Amino acid sequence: MAEEYRESLLKKRYYENCPGCKVDQYKAVQRGIPFRELIFTWVIVLCTALPISSLFPFLYFMIRDFNIAKTEEDIGYYAGYVGSSFMLGRALTSVPWGMVADRYGRKPVIIIGTVAVVIFNTLFGLSVNFWMAVTTRFLLGSLNGLLGPIKAYVTEVFRDEYQALGVSTVSTAWGIGLIIGPALGGFLAQPAEKYPNIFSKESFFGRFPYFLPCLCISVFALAVTVACIWLPETLHTHRGNSILSDDSDEALEAGSCEPNEKGKIVETEESVPIPKKSLLRNWPLMSSIIVYCVFSLHDMAYTEIFSLWAVSPRKFGGLSYSTKDVGEVLSVTGFGLLVFQLSLYPYMERLIGAIMVSRISAVLSIPVLASYPLIAALSGLTLALVLNCASVIKNVLSVSIITGLFLLQNRAVDQDQRGAANGIAMTLMSLFKAAGPAGGGAIFSWAQKRQDAAFLPGDNMVFFVLNVIEAIGVLMTFKPFLIER
């Protein structure tokens, strides 16, 4: 009887906080795995991740065609500015978008973000000079504030026992997007040169050689925008100051059950507003955000450097790969990442915890990254096999780190502050990610000019700096710095 009463009370609370909800929505919350929302999450995150990194395989050639770099070694320097402009725009607007998501809901912010991808990613593909490319990327980042709200959304539609799966879906889709994006850029950029039987040099795609991959991503974003019309909202308010929490058991404890004069149990509530805790003083949240920023800086710099390193000439320590070769490597990497995240990560998180998964993954990333300069000495089939294995392992470890930190961030705050909390995370992370391509491009250009240096010549210096950042991140995953709520 007690369990039946508890169930009826929980259902009553649910419908009071969400008057528009239907029976099937309540059952989905009880069941714990809302598959429709899982698919929504996947495609939305993929939509915002694809344009971030799709330009890296062809950015080297794009900057060359703009004729702004005085020497070949300076191309990486200008490429860094184009890569950073997106993150700079997102850093300036993430907190306002998070506040809008807390005030008006997750759905409007998500739809605005997907529309921004449709418009400004298309315009980026039509860029005719360096400054147009920088401007369109900046505007794309400024209006694309959906990653924070979608992280809050996933935490709200999944119950506690399934949150590792839900947040893993975000980081997996994000990681897949950061891999499929460059793969699309590698396969579809410069189509008149790769596929002359289909695209002539006089055609539209011949005159705008980097438009085709951007167009494909924009078409996908348009489809996602239309699908988001049916996206259910998860931010539900009751009486203006009460918000449904994920922790339904805590909501039950908030009220009290007392017998009346006839001996029947009745529910009494005290509508006492609970003051909100300052997010900046929430150390479990802020510590996880800071560690997340360090690893984000590393990952963004690595994403750009990998493509620049792969397509740069052998005489500079690169692999002399074409954009198509880079696309093939990243396609294999994306498949391996998908298999790992959907099958093994939730089990590992339950077994050893989010912090330990992130820490172990960061430690293992260091020797993998240190092997890259050695890989450049290989050739032929051996090079292809070793490079694919290293790329899969490196990206699996990187996404495992980010997934664990996603979990820590969203568990550190209540629902009514998740949008703002994720906005703060996106702002700080975007600043660090903006520094990633700019710093990575500058270091890459500098390293290529010191091929005969006595200490860490050429690209050895690039991967050494990346490992130093990774090691700093590892140290910051220990107490007293990182604390779990």
Side-chain angles (χ1 to χ4, degrees):
M1 293 295 292
E3 184 63 28
E4 292 177 0
Y5 172 74
R6 179 185 178 282
E7 176 69 17
S8 64
L9 184 59
L10 177 60
K11 187 177 295 187
K12 179 176 180 290
R13 289 285 182 84
Y14 180 83
Y15 288 116
E16 282 182 347
N17 285 277
C18 181
C21 294
K22 301 177 182 178
V23 175
D24 59 343
Q25 289 176 303
Y26 173 76
K27 290 180 179 179
V29 171
Q30 296 304 98
R31 184 175 66 246
I33 306 181
F35 292 102
R36 185 180 66 164
E37 284 76 5
L38 192 71
I39 295 173
F40 270 124
T41 301
W42 181 270
V43 296
I44 290 169
V45 175
L46 193 62
C47 171
T48 192
L50 285 175
I52 291 178
S53 58
S54 61
L55 74 163
F56 289 137
F58 61 77
L59 187 57
Y60 186 94
F61 304 101
M62 189 182 218
I63 298 297
R64 183 195 63 187
D65 293 346
F66 288 155
N67 296 317
I68 192 171
K70 295 180 180 179
T71 65
E72 192 174 5
E73 293 89 341
D74 291 331
I75 290 178
Y77 177 77
Y78 289 98
Y81 283 109
V82 177
S84 297
S85 57
F86 175 94
M87 291 300 169
L88 179 60
R90 195 166 72 175
L92 297 176
T93 59
S94 289
V95 170
W97 282 124
M99 296 172 67
V100 170
D102 282 340
R103 178 66 178 86
Y104 299 102
R106 320 306 189 200
K107 182 175 178 178
V109 177
I110 291 172
I111 291 178
I112 291 172
T114 57
V115 171
V117 173
V118 175
I119 298 172
F120 293 104
N121 188 63
T122 302
L123 291 176
F124 172 73
L126 297 172
S127 297
V128 293
N129 56 57
F130 174 76
W131 293 110
M132 180 178 177
V134 169
T135 302
T136 53
R137 292 286 295 179
F138 176 80
L139 293 174
L140 174 58
S142 299
L143 297 174
N144 193 327
L146 60 82
L147 185 58
I150 197 64
K151 287 162 59 181
Y153 174 86
V154 168
T155 309
E156 291 157 4
V157 297
F158 282 83
R159 290 176 64 84
D160 289 346
E161 60 268 29
Y162 295 106
Q163 280 191 5
L165 175 61
V167 178
S168 177
T169 301
V170 174
S171 58
T172 301
W174 180 259
I176 294 294
L178 294 183
I179 292 170
I180 294 179
L184 285 174
F187 282 117
L188 301 180
Q190 300 170 315
E193 297 180 14
K194 294 188 179 74
Y195 317 107
N197 295 331
I198 303 175
F199 304 96
S200 67
K201 291 185 178 182
E202 291 74 25
S203 67
F204 184 83
F205 294 105
R207 289 185 289 114
F208 295 95
Y210 311 107
F211 177 63
L212 184 57
C214 296
L215 177 63
C216 292
I217 293 172
S218 296
V219 170
F220 174 71
L222 179 61
V224 173
T225 302
V226 174
C228 283
I229 296 174
W230 292 275
L231 180 74
E233 180 60 71
T234 58
L235 184 66
H236 302 294
T237 58
H238 177 51
R239 296 173 187 169
N241 61 357
S242 170
I243 300 180
L244 180 64
S245 172
D246 292 312
D247 304 321
S248 300
D249 292 335
E250 295 178 6
L252 289 175
E253 294 171 3
S256 60
C257 300
E258 300 176 355
N260 63 6
E261 295 178 356
K262 297 182 180 180
K264 295 182 180 180
I265 297 178
V266 296
E267 177 191 356
T268 62
E269 295 185 13
E270 296 182 4
S271 57
V272 179
I274 301 175
K276 294 182 179 181
K277 183 178 180 180
S278 171
L279 293 177
L280 298 179
R281 296 180 181 178
N282 184 340
W283 186 244
L285 170 66
M286 296 308 298
S287 63
S288 62
I289 289 177
I290 293 172
V291 179
Y292 172 56
C293 288
V294 173
F295 284 115
S296 295
L297 168 66
H298 174 277
D299 290 347
M300 199 64 187
Y302 166 79
T303 301
E304 182 180 38
I305 286 172
F306 177 82
S307 295
L308 292 176
W309 169 69
V311 301
S312 63
R314 284 274 186 178
K315 64 180 180 179
F316 294 133
L319 304 180
S320 293
Y321 268 24
S322 67
T323 55
K324 185 177 180 180
D325 295 329
V326 176
E328 291 174 353
V329 173
L330 295 175
S331 298
V332 173
T333 301
F335 178 76
L337 180 62
L338 178 64
V339 172
F340 172 81
Q341 284 294 114
L342 295 183
S343 59
L344 295 179
Y345 182 83
Y347 172 76
M348 292 175 58
E349 193 275 336
R350 289 194 298 269
L351 185 66
I352 61 177
I355 292 179
M356 188 58 69
V357 171
S358 297
R359 186 178 299 150
I360 293 174
S361 298
V363 171
L364 294 177
S365 294
I366 294 176
V368 173
L369 202 56
S371 69
Y372 275 49
L374 303 177
I375 293 175
L378 303 175
S379 61
L381 181 61
T382 304
L383 171 62
L385 290 175
V386 175
L387 182 62
N388 276 282
C389 290
S391 181
V392 169
I393 294 171
K394 177 65 180 69
N395 282 278
V396 162
L397 296 174
S398 295
V399 173
S400 297
I401 296 169
I402 297 300
T403 302
L405 295 173
F406 275 178
L407 282 169
L408 295 180
Q409 289 172 31
N410 284 278
R411 289 172 179 173
V413 291
D414 297 323
Q415 187 207 33
D416 58 335
Q417 290 184 305
R418 281 200 187 114
N422 281 293
I424 293 174
M426 289 300 101
T427 295
L428 295 178
M429 179 268 286
S430 297
L431 287 173
F432 276 73
K433 281 197 170 184
I443 293 173
F444 185 80
S445 293
W446 170 64
Q448 289 197 333
K449 296 176 182 178
R450 56 188 305 277
Q451 298 295 324
D452 300 323
F455 177 70
L456 297 174
D459 291 338
N460 287 276
M461 176 59 74
V462 176
F463 294 107
F464 173 76
V465 172
L466 288 177
N467 270 336
V468 169
I469 299 172
E470 190 86 352
I472 293 173
V474 172
L475 294 176
M476 295 174 68
T477 61
F478 289 90
K479 292 182 178 180
F481 189 86
L482 183 63
I483 299 174
E484 187 173 7
R485 183 183 184 188

